[in-house]
Amino acid sequence: MDIILLGPPGAGKGTQAQRLQAKRGMIQLSTGDMLREAVAKGTPVGLKAKAVMAAGELVSDAIVSALIGERLDTAAAHGAIFDGFPRTHHQAEALEVLLGERGRKLDHVIELVVDEDELVKRIIGRFTCAACGAPYHDQFHMPKVEGTCDACGGHEFKRRPDDNEQTVRTRMAEYRAKTAPILPYYESKGLVRRVDGMQSVEQVATAIDAILDS
Ligand code: AP5
């Protein structure tokens, strides 16, 4: 099964993709994570992407489509969760070609429907364990023991450089202008399923499971 999780920054795409990966063995393909890895390693892609991401704008279609193409076969057995991709019409078309070349097709496009002002709070408060990536939040989900990761016991945490209010507003505007307009393309194919992303993480997960099991 190949699915897209679609929604603005902070909608919970990464949170739900990680749950699906753990529960169903599907593979999370997050272009944001791939780009952050490239930036951290200082690869040619990372050097091109760094300033664009820091400004909250979109990296070029050619770069992100190539990144997905390189990783798609790793998700052949149990299916892929596309998290943060596609974000433009060109990327949606590129994905269709990449899947078609492998005899695969999308099963669902799950839109997480959310309130943007709440999302700004969600994003600005989030941080992750530097060792294992477990997600936390200043207001909603602190580690049980202060300064210690619940999952791995690590003591170092990190925050994304693009998680400040100004950049988040630009990321939201990019979503409205370039990504939300791809929904009608998928609606015309009968693929879009909507989930209320303002519910708790567990309620959102239950709603997504119901779609995948339907
Ligand atoms: P990317 O990494 O994809 O970021 P994003 O889309 O802005 O999404 P986020 O990761 O911020 O949010 P999310 O929806 O995954 O939410 P999360 O689960 O973390 O992209 C970053 C940048 O890379 C882009 O700006 C662009 O420059 C570039 N890029 C990436 N892909 C690209 C592409 N295809 N084309 C061009 N450029 C690209 O949740 C957020 C917080 O809320 C967490 O703290 C979480 O614990 C909490 N939370 C989650 N669900 C709930 C809930 N139900 N209730 C309460 N809290 C919740």
Side-chain angles (χ1 to χ4, degrees):
M1 187 176 278
D2 290 320
I3 67 167
I4 294 173
L5 292 182
L6 201 71
K13 304 180 295 291
T15 302
Q16 296 300 331
Q18 285 185 13
R19 287 181 165 245
L20 288 171
Q21 183 163 266
K23 185 173 175 186
R24 295 177 180 253
M26 297 171 77
I27 301 293
Q28 175 189 16
L29 294 179
S30 158
T31 40
D33 287 348
M34 293 173 202
L35 289 166
R36 277 185 288 279
E37 192 184 321
V39 170
K41 288 183 178 161
T43 66
V45 163
L47 294 176
K48 280 188 195 154
K50 189 173 181 182
V52 180
M53 293 174 77
E57 293 163 6
L58 293 189
V59 175
S60 84
D61 290 335
I63 287 179
V64 292
S65 300
L67 286 174
I68 286 287
E70 284 165 17
R71 311 273 178 110
L72 196 47
D73 293 326
T74 62
H78 298 287
I81 310 151
F82 297 102
D83 161 10
F85 179 92
R87 269 174 145 97
T88 65
H89 271 293
H90 276 117
Q91 292 178 24
E93 285 162 8
L95 179 59
E96 196 162 327
V97 171
L98 287 166
L99 289 172
E101 285 169 352
R102 291 160 174 80
R104 289 160 62 174
K105 63 175 180 49
L106 283 171
D107 293 280
H108 301 290
V109 175
I110 299 177
E111 182 193 6
L112 298 175
V113 181
V114 285
D115 172 328
E116 283 195 10
D117 287 329
E118 281 301 311
L119 294 194
V120 175
K121 283 187 218 157
R122 272 195 198 174
I123 292 179
I124 289 173
R126 77 175 159 185
F127 60 99
T128 54
C129 170
C132 73
Y136 295 98
H137 194 280
D138 293 328
Q139 269 179 284
F140 310 124
H141 180 204
M142 286 294 283
K144 292 190 184 94
V145 177
E146 198 184 332
T148 303
C149 174
D150 298 343
C152 76
H155 297 296
E156 280 189 40
F157 298 88
K158 58 182 184 181
R159 290 176 194 263
R160 280 171 40 176
D162 59 346
D163 279 353
N164 59 77
E165 181 155 1
Q166 191 184 344
T167 307
V168 170
R169 296 280 179 201
T170 304
R171 287 159 58 196
M172 299 277 183
E174 288 282 81
Y175 178 82
R176 279 194 300 272
K178 296 174 185 164
T179 307
I182 67 178
L183 274 161
Y185 171 75
Y186 288 122
E187 265 164 6
S188 71
K189 294 172 181 285
L191 291 173
V192 179
R193 307 281 179 273
R194 292 200 164 79
V195 169
D196 175 3
M198 300 315 294
Q199 305 173 97
S200 70
V201 170
E202 289 70 26
Q203 286 169 321
V204 175
T206 301
I208 292 175
D209 279 338
I211 291 168
L212 301 195
D213 292 334
S214 63

